[in-house]
Amino acid sequence: MIKEIGKVGLDKFRQLRSRLVYEMRSGMNSPTVDVDKQQNVLIITIDCLRNDRLSVSGYHRKTTPFLDSLNSYSPAIAAAPWTFSSVPSILTGLYPHNHGAAYPDDSSRNQDLSNPPNGIRDNVHTLADLLESVGYKTRFITAIGTAAIPIKGRFKSVKPRHDVDAGDILSDIQRWWNNTSGPKFGYVQLGDLHEPLHDPQIEYFDEIPNIDGIDRWRFGSPDEVQNDKFERYRSARGLLYDTLLRYVDEEIERVLDELAELKDTIVIVTSDHGEEFWEYKSFEEEHFEDSRGISGVGHGHALVPPVLEVPIITNLESISGSTTRRSSTDIVPTILSEMDATVNVEFDGEPLQEPSTGETALLSQEIAYGPNQISVTEGNEHLIYVPTTDRSVLIDFETGEQIDDPETKSRLMNYVPRERATGSSVELSDDVQKQLSDLGYAE
């Protein structure tokens, strides 16, 4: 049985209604699934895609014209700020403290590749498990090796393609898809926006300056002065990021145009987490500790808005889209709801088909660097809590302004889970460690 922990789990469970049926069964080993509408499923996760860089969100560059054209778009809070814990949430509908792909305690972390976090708990079911039980064929392709580690054994076919660009990854899933009969579920993790950034094939916007180290994160140490050199680098790196996002958008359009049975396919485009571009550098240095001595850049280190807010975009006509934030744990319930599925599994998320009031508290947790953090977001009130020191800070999600409101802090603290469970330990081969090191993870 997946244990329901804290007020958040109870509140969300009570809100789940309509076509999904959840039955708590102690000692359950196999899922029971009944699907009325058998549809293919394709999830495309764009690693490091922050929500406010989509043109549909009002960004000044037209970065995502194709994704803007799909039927529904909602901003969402990623269940974790890095791939290892976030992808399992996308695939299980559970927060990390329930699915178990996390470090076993809240003490300081440094994403040591010789001592990785634990994988998903054995008695937690992924969407692949649920769909395979009713005859689906499943395939997982990723340019980011971290995505495949915690879900080992859950897909019939897993194909890591280290640091390969979106065109090749999407063509790979297309070949499998168009040559596979029967119902199918494909999952794709694109790494184009993840360090190291590639040279773009096309410069859609301005010419990208030739600046040393633009493909990697620089100016992350507290003692690095923000001067003219820094400003040139920041501007150029942002332009490179936007250019690669426009390329990814174009490649997704190309492959969906060539995908067989698209009209019978549920398509979800999302991200496992966003990316920070120095917006919260001083804030992090004041309130948090990063074991690498880095602040303000990348992801995995702090539960700040640019790292947490991601999009959920679908082709489903049953979802109108909303500016109200949802959760990445809503993806699995949304897919099963669209299929009129009945399952004996509990989820923390709820279907996007069910309108949100905006008053549901959304969680994020399990950082990769420094003592663990847990965040609770309700509307624009964003609480970040550090369990090891029992300290918390409240900010406005939109402006980043710190809020002095003890009553709101106390109320949001009621949503913080007080218990957690982790899965089995995992081991990384030397090849996998080398690939992850190349992506910027510590050795």
Side-chain angles (χ1 to χ4, degrees):
M1 182 176 75
I2 302 172
K3 185 177 181 182
E4 186 175 345
I5 301 174
K7 188 175 185 298
V8 173
L10 181 61
D11 285 352
K12 280 182 173 277
F13 182 73
R14 286 173 175 168
Q15 292 174 27
L16 291 173
R17 50 197 183 273
S18 185
R19 294 164 287 187
L20 292 180
V21 177
Y22 304 93
E23 301 174 8
M24 299 297 293
R25 296 183 179 179
S26 179
M28 180 185 67
N29 292 316
S30 300
T32 302
V33 184
D34 181 40
V35 175
D36 287 345
K37 291 167 51 181
Q38 195 175 73
Q39 295 171 275
N40 299 317
V41 179
L42 176 63
I43 297 178
I44 300 173
T45 299
I46 306 171
D47 207 303
C48 298
L49 173 58
R50 49 186 282 168
N51 181 69
D52 64 1
R53 288 306 242 257
L54 275 74
S55 42
V56 70
S57 72
Y59 190 55
H60 69 278
R61 291 187 178 119
K62 197 69 172 175
T63 51
T64 52
F66 174 70
L67 293 179
D68 297 349
S69 72
L70 294 182
N71 287 332
S72 78
Y73 152 81
S74 296
I77 299 297
W82 69 307
T83 302
F84 192 99
S85 295
S86 186
V87 168
S89 288
I90 292 171
L91 289 171
T92 65
L94 297 174
Y95 287 119
H97 70 268
N98 277 331
H99 64 56
Y103 285 98
D105 56 52
D106 289 318
S107 60
S108 187
R109 300 94 181 268
N110 192 21
Q111 177 43 20
D112 182 353
L113 298 182
S114 64
N115 184 30
N118 293 355
I120 292 178
R121 297 168 59 201
D122 290 340
N123 61 345
V124 167
H125 303 300
T126 68
L127 181 61
D129 299 321
L130 299 176
L131 295 182
E132 283 178 8
S133 73
V134 289
Y136 277 66
K137 298 180 177 69
T138 62
R139 186 166 178 83
F140 185 106
I141 303 179
T142 179
I144 304 295
T146 321
I149 297 167
I151 54 89
K152 184 178 180 181
R154 300 309 183 101
F155 282 73
K156 288 294 185 184
S157 170
V158 176
K159 188 174 183 181
R161 299 199 62 193
H162 173 61
D163 205 24
V164 171
D165 69 23
D168 288 341
I169 292 283
L170 290 167
S171 293
D172 199 332
I173 196 71
Q174 177 215 339
R175 286 190 294 271
W176 171 80
W177 187 281
N178 289 349
N179 290 306
T180 299
S181 59
K184 43 194 169 278
F185 167 36
Y187 179 93
V188 176
Q189 184 95 7
L190 303 179
D192 300 72
L193 304 184
H194 194 291
E195 177 186 14
L197 301 181
H198 295 181
D199 290 333
Q201 299 181 15
I202 302 174
E203 293 184 329
Y204 299 90
F205 310 113
D206 298 328
E207 182 179 352
I208 299 168
N210 183 16
I211 294 179
D212 183 50
I214 194 175
D215 61 329
R216 296 283 185 177
W217 282 114
R218 297 172 55 197
F219 300 97
S221 300
D223 58 350
E224 290 183 324
V225 179
Q226 296 189 9
N227 50 27
D228 289 344
K229 185 177 180 180
F230 163 74
E231 292 299 339
R232 287 194 298 273
Y233 172 84
R234 176 163 62 175
S235 174
R237 201 177 200 286
L239 175 59
L240 176 56
Y241 179 97
D242 293 346
T243 301
L244 291 171
L245 176 55
R246 180 66 182 84
Y247 163 71
V248 168
D249 180 82
E250 190 172 84
E251 286 302 302
I252 292 174
E253 179 180 20
R254 176 187 64 81
V255 166
L256 291 185
D257 283 345
E258 298 171 358
L259 211 63
E261 304 169 331
L262 184 61
K263 62 182 175 58
D264 297 319
T265 297
I266 298 169
V267 178
I268 306 279
V269 180
T270 189
S271 180
D272 49 350
H273 53 77
E275 197 81 328
E276 189 183 354
F277 286 79
W278 298 276
E279 294 94 340
Y280 282 81
K281 183 175 175 63
S282 298
F283 173 79
E284 291 163 15
E285 290 164 6
E286 178 183 356
H287 293 284
F288 310 122
E289 172 194 341
D290 189 313
S291 49
R292 303 167 298 173
I294 292 174
S295 59
V297 295
H299 58 272
H301 57 288
L303 301 181
V304 293
V307 176
L308 297 188
E309 192 172 44
V310 299
I312 299 177
I313 303 168
T314 83
N315 67 339
L316 300 179
E317 295 181 357
S318 59
I319 302 174
S320 59
S322 172
T323 57
T324 301
R325 293 186 192 93
R326 306 300 293 256
S327 168
S328 57
T329 62
D330 294 341
I331 291 172
V332 169
T334 296
I335 291 168
L336 294 176
S337 180
E338 193 68 19
M339 293 178 171
D340 286 334
T342 301
V343 301
N344 63 335
V345 176
E346 176 194 357
F347 306 108
D348 291 322
E350 56 189 20
L352 293 175
Q353 292 88 342
E354 297 291 332
S356 174
T357 63
E359 297 177 353
T360 301
L362 306 172
L363 294 183
S364 189
Q365 54 200 224
E366 292 307 327
I367 69 166
Y369 303 101
N372 192 31
Q373 301 165 26
I374 301 170
S375 71
V376 182
T377 309
E378 189 175 60
N380 280 336
E381 296 168 340
H382 184 66
L383 177 80
I384 308 174
Y385 174 64
V386 183
T388 55
T389 58
D390 196 30
R391 291 186 301 106
S392 62
V393 58
L394 181 66
I395 65 173
D396 182 288
F397 194 92
E398 293 293 337
T399 67
E401 180 182 356
Q402 294 187 50
I403 302 171
D404 183 12
D405 187 342
E407 184 177 340
T408 297
K409 267 191 176 185
S410 178
R411 176 174 57 80
L412 295 181
M413 281 297 299
N414 290 328
Y415 292 95
V416 173
R418 302 300 179 180
E419 299 179 40
R420 63 210 296 265
T422 52
S424 303
S425 60
V426 300
E427 294 184 0
L428 306 181
S429 67
D430 290 342
D431 286 345
V432 169
Q433 290 192 42
K434 184 179 183 300
Q435 291 174 0
L436 296 182
S437 178
D438 185 47
L439 296 173
Y441 293 100
E443 292 188 272

PDB file of all heavy atoms in Angstrom, residues 110-132:
ATOM      1  N   ASN A 110      25.634  16.102  -2.079  1.00  0.00           N
ATOM      2  CA  ASN A 110      26.485  16.684  -3.106  1.00  0.00           C
ATOM      3  C   ASN A 110      26.402  15.869  -4.387  1.00  0.00           C
ATOM      4  O   ASN A 110      27.336  15.850  -5.177  1.00  0.00           O
ATOM      5  CB  ASN A 110      27.940  16.789  -2.638  1.00  0.00           C
ATOM      6  CG  ASN A 110      28.781  17.642  -3.578  1.00  0.00           C
ATOM      7  OD1 ASN A 110      28.256  18.456  -4.337  1.00  0.00           O
ATOM      8  ND2 ASN A 110      30.084  17.444  -3.564  1.00  0.00           N
ATOM      9  N   GLN A 111      25.283  15.167  -4.595  1.00  0.00           N
ATOM     10  CA  GLN A 111      25.093  14.342  -5.780  1.00  0.00           C
ATOM     11  C   GLN A 111      26.372  13.608  -6.145  1.00  0.00           C
ATOM     12  O   GLN A 111      26.887  13.689  -7.246  1.00  0.00           O
ATOM     13  CB  GLN A 111      24.580  15.207  -6.937  1.00  0.00           C
ATOM     14  CG  GLN A 111      24.380  14.538  -8.278  1.00  0.00           C
ATOM     15  CD  GLN A 111      23.727  13.169  -8.225  1.00  0.00           C
ATOM     16  OE1 GLN A 111      23.084  12.821  -7.248  1.00  0.00           O
ATOM     17  NE2 GLN A 111      23.885  12.374  -9.249  1.00  0.00           N
ATOM     18  N   ASP A 112      26.896  12.879  -5.161  1.00  0.00           N
ATOM     19  CA  ASP A 112      28.095  12.079  -5.355  1.00  0.00           C
ATOM     20  C   ASP A 112      27.751  10.889  -6.249  1.00  0.00           C
ATOM     21  O   ASP A 112      26.906  10.057  -5.891  1.00  0.00           O
ATOM     22  CB  ASP A 112      28.616  11.605  -3.992  1.00  0.00           C
ATOM     23  CG  ASP A 112      29.902  10.810  -4.093  1.00  0.00           C
ATOM     24  OD1 ASP A 112      30.336  10.513  -5.222  1.00  0.00           O
ATOM     25  OD2 ASP A 112      30.471  10.499  -3.037  1.00  0.00           O
ATOM     26  N   LEU A 113      28.376  10.790  -7.409  1.00  0.00           N
ATOM     27  CA  LEU A 113      28.030   9.742  -8.352  1.00  0.00           C
ATOM     28  C   LEU A 113      28.373   8.347  -7.845  1.00  0.00           C
ATOM     29  O   LEU A 113      27.856   7.357  -8.359  1.00  0.00           O
ATOM     30  CB  LEU A 113      28.723  10.000  -9.690  1.00  0.00           C
ATOM     31  CG  LEU A 113      28.321  11.298 -10.402  1.00  0.00           C
ATOM     32  CD1 LEU A 113      29.029  11.408 -11.740  1.00  0.00           C
ATOM     33  CD2 LEU A 113      26.819  11.374 -10.588  1.00  0.00           C
ATOM     34  N   SER A 114      29.229   8.264  -6.839  1.00  0.00           N
ATOM     35  CA  SER A 114      29.534   6.957  -6.263  1.00  0.00           C
ATOM     36  C   SER A 114      28.527   6.571  -5.187  1.00  0.00           C
ATOM     37  O   SER A 114      28.545   5.448  -4.689  1.00  0.00           O
ATOM     38  CB  SER A 114      30.951   6.968  -5.661  1.00  0.00           C
ATOM     39  OG  SER A 114      31.018   7.887  -4.581  1.00  0.00           O
ATOM     40  N   ASN A 115      27.633   7.488  -4.834  1.00  0.00           N
ATOM     41  CA  ASN A 115      26.628   7.223  -3.804  1.00  0.00           C
ATOM     42  C   ASN A 115      25.326   7.918  -4.190  1.00  0.00           C
ATOM     43  O   ASN A 115      24.905   8.888  -3.566  1.00  0.00           O
ATOM     44  CB  ASN A 115      27.122   7.726  -2.450  1.00  0.00           C
ATOM     45  CG  ASN A 115      26.153   7.391  -1.337  1.00  0.00           C
ATOM     46  OD1 ASN A 115      25.457   6.390  -1.406  1.00  0.00           O
ATOM     47  ND2 ASN A 115      26.095   8.237  -0.323  1.00  0.00           N
ATOM     48  N   PRO A 116      24.661   7.436  -5.254  1.00  0.00           N
ATOM     49  CA  PRO A 116      23.460   8.112  -5.753  1.00  0.00           C
ATOM     50  C   PRO A 116      22.262   7.902  -4.834  1.00  0.00           C
ATOM     51  O   PRO A 116      22.299   7.053  -3.937  1.00  0.00           O
ATOM     52  CB  PRO A 116      23.231   7.433  -7.103  1.00  0.00           C
ATOM     53  CG  PRO A 116      23.801   6.062  -6.924  1.00  0.00           C
ATOM     54  CD  PRO A 116      24.994   6.240  -6.026  1.00  0.00           C
ATOM     55  N   PRO A 117      21.182   8.652  -5.054  1.00  0.00           N
ATOM     56  CA  PRO A 117      19.950   8.431  -4.286  1.00  0.00           C
ATOM     57  C   PRO A 117      19.361   7.064  -4.582  1.00  0.00           C
ATOM     58  O   PRO A 117      19.798   6.358  -5.498  1.00  0.00           O
ATOM     59  CB  PRO A 117      19.025   9.548  -4.777  1.00  0.00           C
ATOM     60  CG  PRO A 117      19.910  10.537  -5.445  1.00  0.00           C
ATOM     61  CD  PRO A 117      21.071   9.776  -5.988  1.00  0.00           C
ATOM     62  N   ASN A 118      18.341   6.702  -3.832  1.00  0.00           N
ATOM     63  CA  ASN A 118      17.663   5.428  -4.040  1.00  0.00           C
ATOM     64  C   ASN A 118      16.662   5.539  -5.191  1.00  0.00           C
ATOM     65  O   ASN A 118      16.238   6.630  -5.558  1.00  0.00           O
ATOM     66  CB  ASN A 118      16.931   4.997  -2.767  1.00  0.00           C
ATOM     67  CG  ASN A 118      17.905   4.653  -1.651  1.00  0.00           C
ATOM     68  OD1 ASN A 118      19.119   4.646  -1.863  1.00  0.00           O
ATOM     69  ND2 ASN A 118      17.397   4.378  -0.475  1.00  0.00           N
ATOM     70  N   GLY A 119      16.274   4.387  -5.736  1.00  0.00           N
ATOM     71  CA  GLY A 119      15.315   4.353  -6.836  1.00  0.00           C
ATOM     72  C   GLY A 119      13.884   4.311  -6.328  1.00  0.00           C
ATOM     73  O   GLY A 119      13.612   4.390  -5.124  1.00  0.00           O
ATOM     74  N   ILE A 120      12.943   4.160  -7.253  1.00  0.00           N
ATOM     75  CA  ILE A 120      11.527   4.075  -6.899  1.00  0.00           C
ATOM     76  C   ILE A 120      11.283   2.848  -6.026  1.00  0.00           C
ATOM     77  O   ILE A 120      11.872   1.792  -6.235  1.00  0.00           O
ATOM     78  CB  ILE A 120      10.661   3.987  -8.175  1.00  0.00           C
ATOM     79  CG1 ILE A 120      10.725   5.302  -8.956  1.00  0.00           C
ATOM     80  CG2 ILE A 120       9.203   3.681  -7.840  1.00  0.00           C
ATOM     81  CD1 ILE A 120       9.946   5.264 -10.245  1.00  0.00           C
ATOM     82  N   ARG A 121      10.392   2.988  -5.070  1.00  0.00           N
ATOM     83  CA  ARG A 121      10.033   1.850  -4.212  1.00  0.00           C
ATOM     84  C   ARG A 121       9.442   0.714  -5.043  1.00  0.00           C
ATOM     85  O   ARG A 121       8.746   0.945  -6.031  1.00  0.00           O
ATOM     86  CB  ARG A 121       9.023   2.305  -3.159  1.00  0.00           C
ATOM     87  CG  ARG A 121       9.539   3.360  -2.204  1.00  0.00           C
ATOM     88  CD  ARG A 121       8.417   3.963  -1.392  1.00  0.00           C
ATOM     89  NE  ARG A 121       7.719   2.942  -0.632  1.00  0.00           N
ATOM     90  CZ  ARG A 121       6.485   3.098  -0.159  1.00  0.00           C
ATOM     91  NH1 ARG A 121       5.809   4.208  -0.403  1.00  0.00           N
ATOM     92  NH2 ARG A 121       5.909   2.143   0.557  1.00  0.00           N
ATOM     93  N   ASP A 122       9.705  -0.508  -4.620  1.00  0.00           N
ATOM     94  CA  ASP A 122       9.263  -1.680  -5.380  1.00  0.00           C
ATOM     95  C   ASP A 122       7.744  -1.744  -5.525  1.00  0.00           C
ATOM     96  O   ASP A 122       7.232  -2.232  -6.534  1.00  0.00           O
ATOM     97  CB  ASP A 122       9.762  -2.964  -4.711  1.00  0.00           C
ATOM     98  CG  ASP A 122      11.265  -3.138  -4.824  1.00  0.00           C
ATOM     99  OD1 ASP A 122      11.868  -2.490  -5.713  1.00  0.00           O
ATOM    100  OD2 ASP A 122      11.847  -3.900  -4.028  1.00  0.00           O
ATOM    101  N   ASN A 123       7.002  -1.283  -4.521  1.00  0.00           N
ATOM    102  CA  ASN A 123       5.542  -1.395  -4.572  1.00  0.00           C
ATOM    103  C   ASN A 123       4.867  -0.141  -5.113  1.00  0.00           C
ATOM    104  O   ASN A 123       3.667   0.054  -4.946  1.00  0.00           O
ATOM    105  CB  ASN A 123       4.975  -1.734  -3.190  1.00  0.00           C
ATOM    106  CG  ASN A 123       5.288  -0.664  -2.155  1.00  0.00           C
ATOM    107  OD1 ASN A 123       6.139   0.194  -2.369  1.00  0.00           O
ATOM    108  ND2 ASN A 123       4.610  -0.716  -1.024  1.00  0.00           N
ATOM    109  N   VAL A 124       5.634   0.713  -5.774  1.00  0.00           N
ATOM    110  CA  VAL A 124       5.076   1.891  -6.451  1.00  0.00           C
ATOM    111  C   VAL A 124       4.980   1.588  -7.933  1.00  0.00           C
ATOM    112  O   VAL A 124       5.938   1.104  -8.546  1.00  0.00           O
ATOM    113  CB  VAL A 124       5.956   3.138  -6.203  1.00  0.00           C
ATOM    114  CG1 VAL A 124       5.563   4.266  -7.139  1.00  0.00           C
ATOM    115  CG2 VAL A 124       5.833   3.587  -4.749  1.00  0.00           C
ATOM    116  N   HIS A 125       3.837   1.888  -8.528  1.00  0.00           N
ATOM    117  CA  HIS A 125       3.603   1.580  -9.938  1.00  0.00           C
ATOM    118  C   HIS A 125       3.775   2.818 -10.804  1.00  0.00           C
ATOM    119  O   HIS A 125       3.211   3.874 -10.520  1.00  0.00           O
ATOM    120  CB  HIS A 125       2.194   1.022 -10.136  1.00  0.00           C
ATOM    121  CG  HIS A 125       1.906  -0.196  -9.325  1.00  0.00           C
ATOM    122  ND1 HIS A 125       2.627  -1.354  -9.455  1.00  0.00           N
ATOM    123  CD2 HIS A 125       0.990  -0.425  -8.351  1.00  0.00           C
ATOM    124  CE1 HIS A 125       2.154  -2.258  -8.613  1.00  0.00           C
ATOM    125  NE2 HIS A 125       1.174  -1.720  -7.927  1.00  0.00           N
ATOM    126  N   THR A 126       4.549   2.696 -11.868  1.00  0.00           N
ATOM    127  CA  THR A 126       4.662   3.769 -12.846  1.00  0.00           C
ATOM    128  C   THR A 126       3.538   3.632 -13.874  1.00  0.00           C
ATOM    129  O   THR A 126       2.865   2.589 -13.954  1.00  0.00           O
ATOM    130  CB  THR A 126       6.010   3.717 -13.581  1.00  0.00           C
ATOM    131  OG1 THR A 126       6.042   2.536 -14.402  1.00  0.00           O
ATOM    132  CG2 THR A 126       7.171   3.704 -12.599  1.00  0.00           C
ATOM    133  N   LEU A 127       3.366   4.667 -14.685  1.00  0.00           N
ATOM    134  CA  LEU A 127       2.382   4.587 -15.757  1.00  0.00           C
ATOM    135  C   LEU A 127       2.728   3.455 -16.716  1.00  0.00           C
ATOM    136  O   LEU A 127       1.834   2.786 -17.249  1.00  0.00           O
ATOM    137  CB  LEU A 127       2.329   5.920 -16.510  1.00  0.00           C
ATOM    138  CG  LEU A 127       1.333   6.013 -17.660  1.00  0.00           C
ATOM    139  CD1 LEU A 127      -0.093   5.820 -17.164  1.00  0.00           C
ATOM    140  CD2 LEU A 127       1.468   7.344 -18.394  1.00  0.00           C
ATOM    141  N   ALA A 128       4.022   3.215 -16.931  1.00  0.00           N
ATOM    142  CA  ALA A 128       4.430   2.100 -17.794  1.00  0.00           C
ATOM    143  C   ALA A 128       3.951   0.772 -17.234  1.00  0.00           C
ATOM    144  O   ALA A 128       3.456  -0.095 -17.968  1.00  0.00           O
ATOM    145  CB  ALA A 128       5.948   2.099 -17.964  1.00  0.00           C
ATOM    146  N   ASP A 129       4.092   0.579 -15.921  1.00  0.00           N
ATOM    147  CA  ASP A 129       3.612  -0.653 -15.300  1.00  0.00           C
ATOM    148  C   ASP A 129       2.109  -0.829 -15.508  1.00  0.00           C
ATOM    149  O   ASP A 129       1.628  -1.919 -15.844  1.00  0.00           O
ATOM    150  CB  ASP A 129       3.896  -0.641 -13.789  1.00  0.00           C
ATOM    151  CG  ASP A 129       5.360  -0.548 -13.452  1.00  0.00           C
ATOM    152  OD1 ASP A 129       6.163  -1.188 -14.146  1.00  0.00           O
ATOM    153  OD2 ASP A 129       5.710   0.170 -12.495  1.00  0.00           O
ATOM    154  N   LEU A 130       1.361   0.251 -15.278  1.00  0.00           N
ATOM    155  CA  LEU A 130      -0.094   0.183 -15.388  1.00  0.00           C
ATOM    156  C   LEU A 130      -0.523  -0.152 -16.810  1.00  0.00           C
ATOM    157  O   LEU A 130      -1.396  -1.002 -17.031  1.00  0.00           O
ATOM    158  CB  LEU A 130      -0.711   1.508 -14.944  1.00  0.00           C
ATOM    159  CG  LEU A 130      -0.463   1.941 -13.500  1.00  0.00           C
ATOM    160  CD1 LEU A 130      -1.062   3.315 -13.241  1.00  0.00           C
ATOM    161  CD2 LEU A 130      -1.024   0.927 -12.517  1.00  0.00           C
ATOM    162  N   LEU A 131       0.096   0.505 -17.788  1.00  0.00           N
ATOM    163  CA  LEU A 131      -0.309   0.286 -19.169  1.00  0.00           C
ATOM    164  C   LEU A 131       0.183  -1.054 -19.703  1.00  0.00           C
ATOM    165  O   LEU A 131      -0.512  -1.701 -20.501  1.00  0.00           O
ATOM    166  CB  LEU A 131       0.192   1.437 -20.048  1.00  0.00           C
ATOM    167  CG  LEU A 131      -0.425   2.807 -19.736  1.00  0.00           C
ATOM    168  CD1 LEU A 131       0.104   3.867 -20.693  1.00  0.00           C
ATOM    169  CD2 LEU A 131      -1.950   2.756 -19.786  1.00  0.00           C
ATOM    170  N   GLU A 132       1.366  -1.487 -19.286  1.00  0.00           N
ATOM    171  CA  GLU A 132       1.838  -2.816 -19.714  1.00  0.00           C
ATOM    172  C   GLU A 132       0.907  -3.918 -19.225  1.00  0.00           C
ATOM    173  O   GLU A 132       0.744  -4.950 -19.889  1.00  0.00           O
ATOM    174  CB  GLU A 132       3.255  -3.045 -19.205  1.00  0.00           C
ATOM    175  CG  GLU A 132       4.320  -2.309 -20.003  1.00  0.00           C
ATOM    176  CD  GLU A 132       5.719  -2.523 -19.440  1.00  0.00           C
ATOM    177  OE1 GLU A 132       5.873  -3.355 -18.529  1.00  0.00           O
ATOM    178  OE2 GLU A 132       6.654  -1.844 -19.915  1.00  0.00           O
TER     179      GLU A 132
END
